[in-house]
């Protein structure tokens, strides 16, 4: 069913329960089974080892990622670590979770979708009411072709095949903005209001800053500085302040993520798209807050220097 999905599309079967040999008789661990063709898909925190690869998925290799609490059931063989799950042997390639602290990943199992134990499928076949549920994702934001292929394959493989799509997780910026407009969030509204108030204060502070520099600007003009050079000077200074503020904010967020991660079972991540968007917002804000003060600055005449000296 999954063999010909797009390279940018992947999926994972969630809410699986598998028994680790050697653990309690009726004890089951939460497991996820992954299927992907592109190695750049991982979303689990890794303590040690490595992730399994697209080739492992393609070949159905018996490899697995486990939480740290399951490590006690593993054993060494040929200088490799192994774990028996549902009476089948898997090579442990990595440990997921967080170092030196408990987390919800500690008791989880992650394996290729193509290497699930036979016992799981026997249980599935014995229960006609049991369905396979999975979440699809696509780096391109569209997996409709892969979905159509799976539907056609399913009907050719299983007589009573049915496919139910429970909808999409809205993730791109346009969808997020439209959802925010249709379902306004209180926190988002407070953030927007706070940003606008901050913008007004920033403009006022910049105007005050320009007023204090009238003498400097008039002297520069008296020595031949053009309006263009004055504008460039002010914009360069403001963008410099904005970038320094942005760097300080990133450092504070990083420190906060470390503190929160050490106190609670929660992870704050700094992702590149968020950093890029944040930098763009900071630069646009710097330009907006400088626009009105710059207009006032270019109206300053060289005679202002004489007035200031006389005063």
């Amino acid at each position: 069913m999954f063999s010909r999905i797009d390279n940018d599309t992947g999926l994972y079967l969630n809410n699986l329960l598998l028994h680790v040999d050697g653990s309690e008789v009726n004890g089951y661990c939460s497991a996820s089974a992954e299927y992907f063709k592109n190695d750049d898909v991982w979303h689990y925190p890794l303590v040690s080892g490595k992730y399994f690869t697209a080739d492992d998925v393609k070949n159905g290799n018996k490899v697995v990622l486990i939480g740290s609490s399951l490590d006690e059931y593993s054993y060494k063989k040929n200088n490799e670590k192994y774990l028996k799950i549902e009476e089948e042997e898997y090579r442990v390639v990595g440990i997921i979770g967080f170092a030196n602290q408990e987390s919800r990943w500690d008791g989880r199992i992650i394996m290729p979708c193509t290497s699930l134990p036979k016992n799981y499928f026997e249980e599935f076949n014995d229960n006609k009411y049991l369905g396979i549920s999975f979440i699809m994702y696509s780096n391109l934001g569209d997996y409709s072709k892969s979905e159509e292929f799976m539907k056609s394959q399913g009907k050719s493989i299983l007589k009573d095949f049915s496919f139910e799509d429970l909808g999409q997780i809205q993730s791109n910026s346009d969808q997020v903005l439209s959802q925010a407009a249709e379902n306004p969030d209180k926190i988002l509204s407070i953030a927007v209001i706070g940003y606008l108030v901050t913008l007004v204060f920033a403009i006022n502070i910049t105007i005050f800053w320009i007023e204090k520099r009238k003498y400097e600007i008039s002297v520069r003009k008296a020595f031949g500085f053009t309006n263009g050079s004055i504008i460039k000077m002010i914009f360069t200074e403001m963008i410099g302040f904005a970038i320094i503020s942005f760097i300080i904010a990133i450092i504070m967020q990083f420190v906060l993520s470390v503190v929160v991660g050490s106190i609670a079972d929660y992870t704050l991540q700094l992702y590149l798209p968020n950093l890029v968007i944040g930098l763009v917002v900071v630069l646009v804000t710097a330009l907006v807050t400088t626009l009105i003060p710059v207009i006032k600055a270019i109206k300053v005449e060289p005679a202002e220097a004489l007035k200031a000296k006389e005063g």
Side-chain angles (χ1 to χ4, degrees):
M1 282 184 62
F2 306 146
S3 60
R4 283 171 50 193
I5 63 173
D6 294 333
N7 289 336
D8 292 301
T9 300
L11 56 89
Y12 55 92
L13 278 64
N14 231 353
N15 301 321
L16 306 180
L17 293 175
L18 298 175
H19 176 70
V20 175
D21 295 14
S23 63
E24 296 180 8
V25 176
N26 292 319
Y28 289 87
C29 298
S30 297
S32 296
E34 304 270 342
Y35 193 95
F36 53 84
K37 294 183 175 182
N38 184 346
D39 286 330
D40 188 24
V41 300
W42 286 106
H43 35 260
Y44 303 105
L46 191 66
V47 176
S48 62
K50 61 181 181 180
Y51 298 111
F52 54 80
T53 66
D55 286 336
D56 290 322
V57 176
K58 178 182 177 181
N59 300 324
N61 295 339
K62 296 289 185 178
V63 291
V64 67
L65 297 168
I66 62 172
S68 57
S69 65
L70 300 178
D71 198 22
E72 63 177 299
Y73 303 111
S74 66
Y75 55 92
K76 289 279 189 173
K77 178 181 175 183
N78 299 326
N79 293 324
E80 297 278 3
K81 186 181 292 186
Y82 288 86
L83 182 74
K84 281 196 174 182
I85 303 172
E86 299 285 356
E87 300 178 3
E88 295 187 26
E89 189 176 62
Y90 289 82
R91 181 167 60 89
V92 178
V93 294
I95 305 294
I96 56 174
F98 300 101
N100 302 320
Q101 70 178 78
E102 294 182 357
S103 73
R104 64 187 60 191
W105 304 105
D106 294 349
R108 287 193 66 85
I109 299 172
I110 315 294
M111 64 173 58
C113 184
T114 49
S115 63
L116 280 165
K118 291 182 180 178
N119 287 351
Y120 173 79
F121 289 104
E122 289 176 0
E123 181 182 350
F124 175 80
N125 291 330
D126 291 340
N127 190 343
K128 64 180 180 180
Y129 300 105
L130 185 64
I132 295 178
S133 64
F134 55 85
I135 295 176
M136 292 184 66
Y137 55 86
S138 172
N139 293 332
L140 301 178
D142 179 20
Y143 50 77
S144 55
K145 291 183 179 179
S146 298
E147 185 178 342
E148 289 301 317
F149 169 75
M150 285 191 291
K151 287 180 180 178
S152 63
Q153 283 291 96
K155 291 176 182 177
S156 64
I157 295 171
L158 301 172
K159 181 180 179 182
D160 299 325
F161 174 83
S162 63
F163 189 99
E164 182 180 4
D165 186 355
L166 299 180
Q168 296 183 349
I169 299 174
Q170 310 297 336
S171 59
N172 65 47
S173 58
D174 293 336
Q175 292 167 332
V176 170
L177 291 175
S178 63
Q179 281 188 334
E182 295 170 4
N183 304 294
D185 185 89
K186 289 183 179 179
I187 295 178
L188 178 61
S189 301
I190 293 171
V192 171
I193 294 172
Y195 175 76
L196 293 176
V197 171
T198 304
L199 195 62
V200 172
F201 273 103
I203 292 173
N204 287 334
I205 291 172
T206 310
I207 291 174
F208 178 76
W209 177 59
I210 294 296
E211 287 289 332
K212 290 293 184 182
R213 297 182 67 181
K214 270 188 175 181
Y215 177 75
E216 177 195 341
I217 293 171
S218 61
V219 169
R220 286 178 181 272
K221 283 192 172 184
F223 279 94
F225 275 65
T226 63
N227 286 336
S229 61
I230 296 293
I231 291 172
K232 182 179 179 181
M233 177 191 72
I234 295 174
F235 270 123
T236 301
E237 289 180 4
M238 290 302 296
I239 290 175
F241 290 141
I243 292 175
I244 291 172
S245 301
F246 176 74
I247 293 172
I248 292 173
I250 295 302
I251 293 172
M252 291 176 63
Q253 188 168 347
F254 175 76
V255 172
L256 181 63
S257 67
V258 173
V259 172
V260 172
S262 62
I263 296 175
D265 182 17
Y266 191 80
T267 307
L268 293 174
Q269 293 284 351
L270 296 175
Y271 295 104
L272 182 59
N274 302 87
L275 295 178
V276 172
I277 292 172
L279 182 59
V280 170
V281 170
V282 165
L283 295 178
V284 170
T285 302
L287 294 176
V288 171
T289 55
T290 312
L291 188 60
I292 297 175
V294 158
I295 294 173
K296 292 179 70 68
I298 61 177
K299 291 180 179 179
V300 175
E301 298 296 336
E304 291 285 342
L306 296 175
K307 290 180 183 178
K309 193 171 183 181
E310 291 173 0

